[in-house]
């Protein structure tokens, strides 16, 4: 295309994009107007109004994300049809809703990502736009169906991967590659495992898959939402913009330490304790620990009633305990069975003594009257209640687990390893979270708390009824019959419930995050190789349909409780319902840096092939040996130099080196420049250390440096040695 032809095409495309933005702005104004009207409208019930308001709020959010790069390309078919591709769909209401802009997830948009010179899929041209905000600055064309022609299809991709990193992960909606698109659109109802080495884009592919599923299965998914589980808060913050930028907000982001509502746990156990807690063998330990709290009295316990003294002996408690256990109910709910048996025995004994000589079973009415009086007296007897609490206490997950971990005797009684012993029982770690969650089901709810909540609701209902009576106006108090008003004219029952009840105004993500029993329609698990068997039990409970996108890299596993194979971890939960896909192209890490990281990988996981880098950066990674006194100055020099450059940087090193962050806190993140400090000390931490070093080296997109005080590990001998400090 001549330069003049290009400029004419660019002006035409700019005009078309401007029309799209005009349509977008008009649609935004319409939705916002309807939203304001819905907020003021008092017609219909409160529930109906709430549904309307929430739907309009979601639509407003969807439209608000499209400002930056609304339209990012065009497809020209062999038959001459043109389709513009963008973040959302826009239709011409004046022309039978003809599409002006195709949503990137629509089936008709797929050739934009999958058509090639050898397989053009009936397409003649793929045009990729270069934009800044709303401004179209240029475009590149790829002519399809002519292998070896003037294709420039990699231009947009290379521009994206070479661009300086900003705050947070960016979506790849404009540059999805065919390998990635196949996974994003894969029609599989079970568990999809996406494995890929550093820089292959597995995380962002998983997030785009979520956006695709929400687009194609919105009715099924939007009422329950999607859960995204990541390795640490920094990672979740890093990826948090991707789905909102694609118009999706009904998503909950958590680490495994957040899966029990009300807790935000980040501390980690030593490797051996983490391995033990992550094993399914802990189920037997928890069951035994609960059984250990279901006690028998060493000596008969006297209970003084008004007319008689009765005793709870070991025989009675053992019978009651066995009946409660045989009920199959969770511990707290089975307490009612235990209490019922003990109460029965004590009342029988009391009746036999009180009624001796005058009361027989033939006198049923008197017998039942006396029994009822004794049952009531026992329920109000402090000694009886205290004894029940000692023999069959109401337990919470915390009140069971904390004493267990702080007592060698309790650990022995539960058959647990003494490696779990700690001084502070409730100093919770990430490995404790699945145990606490498991105990919610094993212990069950405390029915007394439910009864208290029911009484509170009854009091609220009585109060609301009183308010209605006060608001009621008698006919003779009005000016005349025609002007008569009743309370119902001013406020309906739904409005009253809104004002005096506890109406939930939180959005879906807030409600889901706060509800332990919430179930999601789909779950994304990133860095999934780190999850234990017990972690997976928690997540399977959260998603009964077993619809998962699992993302990970076994070569990067650092947890002793994590996955060594996907089949071993998943097959027990979804036998035959999981599929595996791999990503083989490294879009983030340049070839120069990947060569260094690959040498480390070859030493600790020689069976794993590193991903192929799609580009080179032209900058060779370097190393510099420093003395102990020069380490801080060298780190400061690196950060000062990088501060003058565009982009991001990080210093990764052992936890005790000032100015560094551990590799575990950088998993899934990317930076323009990375400085790795003391690699020999990172590597010395066994198999986990090798994985940590591999992660550290593969965070950089442009520049990598290494500082070392001692000898450089053999695997890093390929680094260019800089001047010693």
């Amino acid at each position: 295309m001549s330069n003049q032809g290009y400029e004419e095409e660019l002006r035409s495309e700019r005009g078309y994009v401007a029309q799209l933005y005009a349509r977008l702005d008009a649609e935004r104004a319409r939705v916002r107007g309807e939203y304001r009207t819905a907020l003021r409208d008092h017609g219909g019930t409160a529930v109906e109004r709430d549904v309307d308001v929430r739907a309009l709020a979601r639509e407003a959010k969807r439209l608000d994300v499209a400002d930056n790069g609304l339209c990012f390309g065009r497809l020209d078919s062999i038959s001459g049809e043109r389709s513009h591709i963008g973040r959302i769909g826009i239709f011409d209401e004046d022309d039978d809703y003809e599409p002006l802009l195709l949503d990137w997830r629509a089936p008709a948009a797929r050739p934009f990502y999958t058509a090639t010179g050898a397989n053009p899929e009936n397409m003649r041209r793929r045009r990729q736009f270069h934009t800044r905000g709303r401004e179209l600055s240029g475009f590149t064309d790829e002519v399809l169906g002519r292998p070896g022609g003037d294709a420039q299809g990699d231009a947009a991709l290379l521009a994206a991967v070479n661009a300086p990193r900003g705050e947070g992960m960016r979506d790849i909606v404009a540059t999805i590659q065919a390998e990635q698109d196949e996974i994003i659109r894969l029609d599989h109802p079970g568990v999809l495992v996406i494995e890929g080495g550093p820089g292959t884009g597995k995380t962002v592919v998983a997030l785009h898959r979520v956006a695709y599923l929400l687009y194609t299965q919105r009715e099924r998914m939007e009422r329950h939402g999607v859960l995204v589980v990541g390795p640490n808060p920094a990672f979740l913050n890093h990826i948090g913009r991707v789905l909102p930028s694609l118009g999706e907000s009904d998503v909950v982001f958590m680490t495994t330490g957040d899966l029990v509502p009300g807790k935000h746990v980040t501390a980690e156990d030593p490797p051996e304790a983490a391995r033990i807690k992550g094993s399914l063998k802990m189920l037997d330990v928890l069951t035994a620990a609960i059984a250990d709290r279901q006690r028998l009295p060493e000596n008969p316990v006297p209970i003084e009633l008004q007319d008689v003294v009765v005793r709870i002996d070991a025989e009675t408690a053992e019978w009651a305990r066995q009946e409660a256990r045989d009920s199959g109910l969770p511990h707290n709910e089975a307490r009612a069975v235990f209490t019922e048996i003990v109460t029965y025995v004590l009342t029988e004994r009391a009746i036999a003594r009180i009624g001796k000589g005058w009361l027989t079973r033939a006198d049923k009415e008197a017998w039942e009257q006396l029994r009822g009086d004794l049952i009531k007296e026992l329920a109000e007897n402090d000694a009886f209640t205290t004894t029940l609490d000692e023999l069959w206490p109401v337990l919470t997950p915390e009140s069971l687990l904390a004493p267990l971990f702080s007592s060698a005797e309790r650990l022995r009684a539960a058959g647990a390893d003494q490696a779990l012993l700690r001084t502070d029982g409730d100093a919770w770690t990430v490995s404790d979270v699945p145990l606490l969650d498991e105990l919610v089901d094993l212990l069950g709810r405390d029915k007394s708390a439910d009864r208290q909540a029911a009484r509170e609701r009854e009091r609220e209902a009585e109060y609301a009824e009183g308010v209605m009576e006060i608001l009621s106006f008698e006919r003779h108090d009005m000016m005349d019959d025609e002007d008569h008003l009743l309370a119902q004219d001013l406020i309906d029952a739904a409005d009253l419930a809104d004002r005096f009840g506890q109406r939930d105004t939180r959005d879906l993500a807030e409600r889901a995050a706060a509800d332990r029993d919430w179930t999601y329609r789909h779950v994304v698990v990133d860095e999934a190789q780190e999850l234990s068997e017990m972690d997976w039990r928690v997540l399977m409970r959260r998603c009964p349909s077993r619809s998962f996108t699992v993302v990970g890299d076994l070569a990067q596993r650092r947890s002793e409780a994590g996955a060594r194979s996907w089949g071993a971890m998943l097959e027990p939960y979804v036998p035959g319902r999981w599929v595996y896909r791999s990503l083989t192209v490294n879009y983030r890490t340049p070839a120069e840096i990947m060569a260094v990281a690959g040498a480390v990988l070859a030493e600790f996981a020689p069976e794993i092939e590193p991903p192929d880098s799609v580009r080179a950066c032209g900058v060779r990674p370097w190393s510099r040996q420093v003395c102990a006194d020069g380490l801080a100055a060298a780190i400061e020099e690196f950060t000062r130099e990088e501060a003058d450059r565009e982009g991001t940087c990080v210093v990764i090193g052992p936890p005790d080196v000032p100015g560094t962050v551990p590799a575990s806190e950088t998993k899934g993140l990317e930076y323009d420049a990375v400085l790795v400090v003391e690699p020999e000390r990172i590597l010395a931490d066994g198999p986990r250390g090798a994985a940590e070093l591999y992660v550290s080296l593969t965070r950089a997109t442009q520049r990598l440096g290494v500082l070392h005080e001692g000898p450089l590990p053999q695997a890093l001998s390929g680094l260019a040695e800089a001047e010693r400090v």
Side-chain angles (χ1 to χ4, degrees):
M1 183 185 299
S2 68
N3 187 59
Q4 181 179 353
Y6 176 87
E7 290 298 328
E8 290 177 355
E9 280 284 295
L10 181 59
R11 281 193 295 271
S12 174
E13 296 288 19
R14 282 173 173 167
Y16 192 88
V17 170
Q19 292 178 26
L20 292 176
Y21 275 112
R23 292 271 184 175
L24 175 67
D25 291 339
E27 186 68 4
R28 280 176 172 170
R30 181 189 66 78
V31 171
R32 287 171 180 166
E34 291 181 3
Y35 178 76
R36 288 191 293 268
T37 300
L39 288 176
R40 295 192 302 267
D41 185 15
H42 297 295
T45 67
V47 173
E48 291 170 341
R49 293 199 303 274
D50 188 57
V51 169
D52 290 341
V53 168
R54 288 178 186 269
L56 288 166
R58 284 196 300 269
E59 180 65 7
K61 286 183 180 179
R62 186 185 77 88
L63 295 173
D64 282 343
V65 304
D67 252 359
N68 187 17
L70 169 63
C71 177
F72 48 77
R74 192 185 88 187
L75 272 175
D76 297 356
S77 71
I78 293 175
S79 62
E81 295 178 352
R82 293 180 176 180
S83 300
H84 285 77
I85 315 297
R87 293 179 175 275
I88 63 173
I90 294 179
F91 301 90
D92 188 349
E93 298 179 8
D94 300 327
D95 189 12
D96 202 21
Y97 282 88
E98 281 294 308
L100 299 174
L101 183 66
L102 277 179
D103 190 299
W104 66 275
R105 295 165 288 193
R110 183 169 189 174
F112 185 79
Y113 302 111
T114 59
T116 64
N119 182 24
E121 301 188 29
N122 295 318
M123 296 296 150
R124 183 175 61 85
R125 185 198 313 272
R126 173 170 41 224
R127 174 167 290 178
Q128 293 177 306
F129 293 162
H130 312 306
T131 62
R132 289 185 178 180
R134 291 192 169 199
E135 185 65 27
L136 177 59
S137 58
F139 64 83
T140 55
D141 279 349
E142 180 180 1
V143 178
L144 302 169
R146 296 191 329 189
D150 60 350
Q152 302 181 51
D154 291 338
L157 172 64
L158 292 175
V161 297
N162 281 313
R165 266 49 191 171
E167 294 298 325
M169 179 179 284
R170 296 168 293 191
D171 65 63
I172 59 169
V173 64
T175 58
I176 294 171
Q177 301 301 292
E179 177 187 57
Q180 299 169 329
D181 185 79
E182 179 184 353
I183 294 173
I184 289 170
R185 299 176 193 261
L186 185 66
D187 183 17
H188 179 70
V191 176
L192 167 63
V193 176
I194 306 173
E195 183 163 30
T200 54
K202 53 188 179 294
T203 295
V204 74
V205 166
L207 296 176
H208 283 68
R209 175 168 167 78
V210 169
Y212 175 76
L213 292 174
L214 286 167
Y215 176 81
T216 57
Q217 305 176 29
R218 187 166 302 280
E219 186 175 347
R220 184 181 75 85
M221 296 181 67
E222 69 177 355
R223 286 182 297 176
H224 288 259
V226 173
L227 172 64
V228 176
V229 178
N232 54 59
F235 174 83
L236 294 179
N237 183 60
H238 178 64
I239 69 172
R241 298 180 185 179
V242 175
L243 283 168
S245 76
L246 298 172
E248 306 299 346
S249 58
D250 291 338
V251 180
V252 178
F253 294 89
M254 289 186 181
T255 67
T256 53
D258 302 323
L259 287 171
V260 172
K263 284 189 167 42
H264 176 65
V265 183
T266 58
E268 293 188 6
D269 276 304
E272 180 62 10
R275 183 190 64 79
I276 294 169
K277 290 180 181 179
S279 169
L280 291 180
K281 295 178 182 178
M282 281 301 297
L283 295 173
D284 294 333
V285 171
L286 296 179
T287 301
I290 294 172
D292 184 53
R293 301 294 291 270
Q294 299 163 355
R295 314 301 291 269
L296 303 179
E298 295 181 2
N299 300 299
V301 181
I303 307 296
E304 296 185 9
L305 301 178
Q306 183 174 346
D307 299 317
V308 68
V309 176
V310 291
R311 287 174 172 78
I312 303 176
D313 53 34
E315 183 181 8
T316 298
E318 186 172 16
W319 177 32
R321 183 174 71 175
Q322 194 59 49
E323 290 289 330
R325 289 176 176 176
D326 290 346
S327 71
L329 295 171
H331 170 85
N332 289 331
E333 296 172 29
R335 175 185 162 109
V337 178
F338 181 85
T339 302
E340 182 181 15
I341 298 297
V342 173
T343 300
Y344 169 78
V345 173
L346 296 189
T347 55
E348 283 289 306
R349 291 173 179 174
I351 291 172
R353 295 178 187 177
I354 295 172
K356 187 177 182 180
W358 65 272
L359 183 63
T360 67
R361 287 189 179 274
D363 190 354
K364 292 183 178 179
E365 184 175 348
W367 189 283
E368 292 304 322
Q369 177 63 43
L370 181 54
R371 177 186 294 281
D373 292 341
L374 287 169
I375 290 174
K376 182 178 181 182
E377 190 175 353
L378 279 172
E380 296 173 350
N381 187 286
D382 290 341
F384 181 67
T385 302
T386 299
T387 304
L388 288 179
D389 289 341
E390 291 173 354
L391 301 180
W392 198 285
V394 172
L395 296 171
T396 65
E398 293 83 358
S399 67
L400 177 87
L401 212 55
L404 176 66
F405 288 156
S406 58
S407 168
E409 181 182 352
R410 289 188 188 276
L411 286 172
R412 278 193 296 272
D417 196 300
Q418 292 295 312
L420 303 184
L421 183 65
R422 64 191 183 208
T423 304
D424 188 355
D426 59 2
W428 306 118
T429 66
V430 173
S431 300
D432 293 330
V433 171
L435 307 183
L436 292 167
D437 189 78
E438 190 76 36
L439 284 168
V440 173
D441 288 343
L442 292 176
L443 295 174
R445 303 299 200 267
D446 179 6
K447 295 298 185 181
S448 62
D450 293 342
R451 289 192 292 271
Q452 176 64 28
R455 286 193 292 270
E456 184 65 28
R457 288 193 296 271
E458 289 176 3
R459 284 195 292 269
E460 289 178 356
E462 291 173 358
Y463 178 68
E465 185 177 349
V467 171
M468 288 295 290
E469 291 178 359
I470 293 172
L471 291 176
S472 296
F473 298 103
E474 295 296 336
R475 187 176 299 269
H476 64 268
D477 290 332
M478 311 307 294
M479 289 186 297
D480 52 45
D481 288 347
E482 286 75 17
D483 293 329
H484 172 57
L485 291 174
L486 295 176
Q488 290 91 328
D489 297 317
L490 300 173
I491 182 170
D492 61 20
D495 287 325
L496 194 66
D498 288 348
R499 297 187 185 189
F500 296 106
Q502 297 296 319
R503 180 166 170 258
D504 196 342
T505 59
R506 297 170 298 173
D507 63 24
L508 182 144
E510 292 170 325
R511 286 181 285 128
D515 186 354
R516 185 263 175 187
D517 295 322
W518 189 279
T519 58
Y520 298 89
R521 283 292 183 262
H522 191 77
V523 176
V524 175
V525 186
D526 209 323
E527 300 294 344
Q529 73 277 355
E530 307 297 347
L531 270 63
S532 69
E533 293 174 318
M534 292 299 294
D535 289 325
W536 280 109
R537 282 182 64 85
V538 180
L539 295 179
M540 292 295 170
R541 278 194 289 271
R542 299 295 193 272
C543 188
S545 65
R546 304 293 196 262
S547 178
F548 283 76
T549 299
V550 175
V551 181
D553 179 11
L554 295 179
Q556 296 186 54
R557 179 185 61 82
R558 58 183 295 273
S559 171
E560 287 296 314
R564 285 164 171 78
S565 81
W566 298 117
M569 193 63 81
L570 295 173
E571 195 66 22
Y573 301 106
V574 284
R577 284 196 60 215
W578 68 280
V579 298
Y580 175 88
R581 295 291 185 271
S582 64
L583 293 168
T584 59
V585 179
N586 188 333
Y587 299 99
R588 178 182 69 213
T589 316
E592 296 90 341
I593 295 176
M594 200 61 216
V596 176
V600 174
L601 179 65
E603 286 204 354
F604 80 93
E607 73 282 2
I608 297 177
E609 283 289 326
D612 294 326
S613 295
V614 76
R615 67 189 176 95
C617 65
V619 179
R620 188 178 177 186
W622 56 267
S623 68
R624 177 183 298 167
Q625 190 168 15
V626 296
C627 60
D629 294 339
L631 185 61
I635 293 174
E636 183 181 351
E637 178 187 352
F638 169 82
T639 55
R640 186 173 58 250
E641 289 178 353
E642 289 300 329
D644 294 332
R645 291 178 166 142
E646 187 179 3
T648 59
C649 70
V650 69
V651 181
I652 303 174
D656 60 344
V657 176
T660 70
V661 298
S664 59
E665 295 183 13
T666 66
K667 295 200 77 170
L669 307 182
E670 56 184 31
Y671 306 87
D672 291 273
V674 172
L675 180 66
V676 178
V677 177
E678 300 282 41
E680 66 279 8
R681 288 181 54 194
I682 298 175
L683 193 60
D685 193 14
R688 182 169 79 166
E692 296 267 78
L693 182 57
Y694 181 59
V695 169
S696 303
L697 296 170
T698 54
R699 299 306 94 194
T701 66
Q702 302 291 343
R703 300 175 294 281
L704 172 67
V706 173
L707 294 179
H708 59 106
E709 183 180 344
L712 197 65
Q714 179 61 33
L716 300 182
S717 59
L719 290 169
E721 182 69 27
E723 182 181 352
R724 179 170 179 167
V725 178

